[in-house]
């Protein structure tokens, strides 16, 4: 336990104080952990390479294809179209709810950073047009993006946790949606009622030009393409309960339901519906996809680094001792996973790093105790990884600068919103655990 504590403190210092790239910090900490835990020198690098390869081997395809689809949804104007349809449907009185719904739908296939930059100009255009408080209108929308980032596949951390815990991607998504909706409502529109008086003058620099209506894809096309991965995952998750006994059909559905195939099919469809059909050449679409890979390359490396750290713990045998030691506290395992992720999140700032590091620590508990639901453990750690974002989190500064707020007001709005999401997520997981 002391070695693990030392390694986590070292990781925190390297990332937050020394400003070292998280991937490099993970490599340094993994090697240090191997040395401290007595792994032979000639085996340490093998453990690091195996952990990095095993983790990226199962995730690189999902994350890269997801990033490509997200970028295509953003650049084609599909997300703008979805938001516009929802605003028209809800009306001015319920425009906040319309924006929350738009962010939630768009946030499922989009990575957080892309979703933020894409949706914030929409917030500002509504704020300026209808003279509404920026934080009151904007924060609920950002809560929806944050929840989808922390809870729902195909986002990097939840997808990685599904693989690490051998959970079911479709079931995790289904349970995640059940928890995400109340979390968004409480942390978004309900909490925002107390934020109407926070002064905010969004900088004009950040008001992006909207695409003209004639260049936007159709509403049905936009909704269908953005939600296709979710639809495929949900259909294949529900298939075992449909009573189909033909083994060949079951094999085909299992193949189609594999997350990599789901994302590939969605991207192939999106390439036509939001690319070729909208008049883009394959060269232009290829450029969009290349840019998408650049956007998430660092996320991939961080995930690989966290896998290396996990493998070193596993190969040393210390992960089993940690699990036994943590179990001696007699804490509910799902709560324990949430707590570890929350502590690392508050210390490090990164939700992805917090979730993956916590997963490496508690993974052996799931092997020893088959009664722990792996799908709920994914969501519990995901919820904990969102707790109290503050000055060491890039999302904190992104929100502060875009909305032109003081640090105090950023903490009172953004940090508390993230904390509410984390606690509501934990409550949802513990309630679901009573029934599944």
């Amino acid at each position: 336990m002391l070695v693990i504590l030392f390694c986590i403190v070292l990781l925190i210092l390297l990332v937050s104080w020394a400003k070292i790239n998280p991937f490099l910090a993970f490599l340094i900490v993994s090697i240090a952990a191997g040395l401290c835990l007595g792994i032979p020198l000639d085996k340490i690098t093998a453990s690091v390479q195996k952990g990095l390869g095993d983790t990226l081997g199962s995730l690189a395809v999902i994350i890269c294809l997801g990033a490509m689809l997200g970028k295509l949804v953003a650049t084609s104007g599909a997300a703008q179209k979805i938001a516009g349809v929802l605003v028209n449907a809800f009306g001015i009185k319920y425009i906040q709810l319309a924006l929350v719904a738009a962010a939630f739908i768009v946030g499922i296939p989009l990575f957080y950073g892309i979703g933020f930059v894409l949706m914030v100009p929409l917030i500002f255009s509504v704020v300026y047009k209808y003279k509404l408080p920026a934080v009151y209108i904007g924060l609920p929308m950002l809560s929806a993006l944050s929840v989808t980032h922390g809870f729902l596949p195909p986002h990097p951390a939840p997808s990685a946790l599904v693989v690490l815990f051998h959970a079911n991607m479709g079931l995790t998504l289904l349970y995640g949606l059940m928890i995400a909706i109340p979390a968004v409502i409480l942390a978004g529109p309900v909490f925002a009622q107390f934020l109407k008086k926070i002064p905010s003058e969004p900088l004009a620099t950040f008001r992006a030009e909207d695409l003209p209506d004639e260049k936007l894809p159709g509403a049905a096309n936009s909704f269908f393409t953005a939600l296709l991965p979710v639809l495929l995952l949900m259909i294949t998750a529900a298939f075992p309960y449909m009573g189909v006994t033909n083994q060949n059909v079951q094999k085909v559905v299992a193949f189609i339901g594999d997350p990599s195939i789901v994302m590939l099919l969605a991207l192939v469809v999106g390439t036509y519906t939001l690319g070729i059909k909208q008049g883009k050449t394959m060269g232009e679409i290829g450029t969009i996809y290349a840019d998408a890979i650049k956007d998430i390359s660092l996320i991939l490396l961080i995930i690989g680094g966290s896998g290396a750290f996990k493998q070193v713990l596993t190969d040393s045998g210390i992960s089993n001792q940690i699990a036994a030691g943590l179990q001696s506290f007699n804490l509910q395992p799902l709560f324990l996973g949430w707590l570890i992720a929350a502590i690392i999140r508050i210390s490090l700032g990164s939700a992805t790093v917090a979730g993956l590091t916590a997963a490496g620590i508690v993974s052996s508990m799931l092997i020893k105790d088959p009664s722990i639901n792996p799908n709920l453990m994914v969501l519990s750690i995901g919820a904990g990884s969102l707790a109290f974002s503050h000055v060491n989190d890039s999302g904190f500064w992104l929100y502060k600068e875009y909305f032109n707020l003081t640090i105090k007001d950023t903490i009172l709005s953004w940090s508390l919103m993230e904390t509410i999401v984390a606690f509501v997520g934990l409550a949802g997981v513990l309630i679901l655990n009573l029934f599944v």
Side-chain angles (χ1 to χ4, degrees), residues 52-68 111 159-160 163 260 263 293 296 299-301 303-304:
L52 197 148
D54 287 354
T55 304
L56 290 183
S58 54
L59 281 175
V61 173
I62 301 171
I63 292 173
C64 289
L65 293 178
M68 290 177 183
F111 289 96
S159 298
V163 173
S260 298
M263 294 309 301
I293 298 302
I296 52 91
I299 290 175
L300 277 174
L301 289 174
I303 289 172

Side-chain angles (χ1 to χ4, degrees), residues 92 95-96 126-137 200:
I92 302 304
I95 200 165
Q96 186 193 61
V126 169
V127 165
Y128 282 104
K129 186 173 181 178
Y130 301 109
K131 310 297 181 190
L132 297 167
V135 172
Y136 169 72
I137 293 296
S200 171

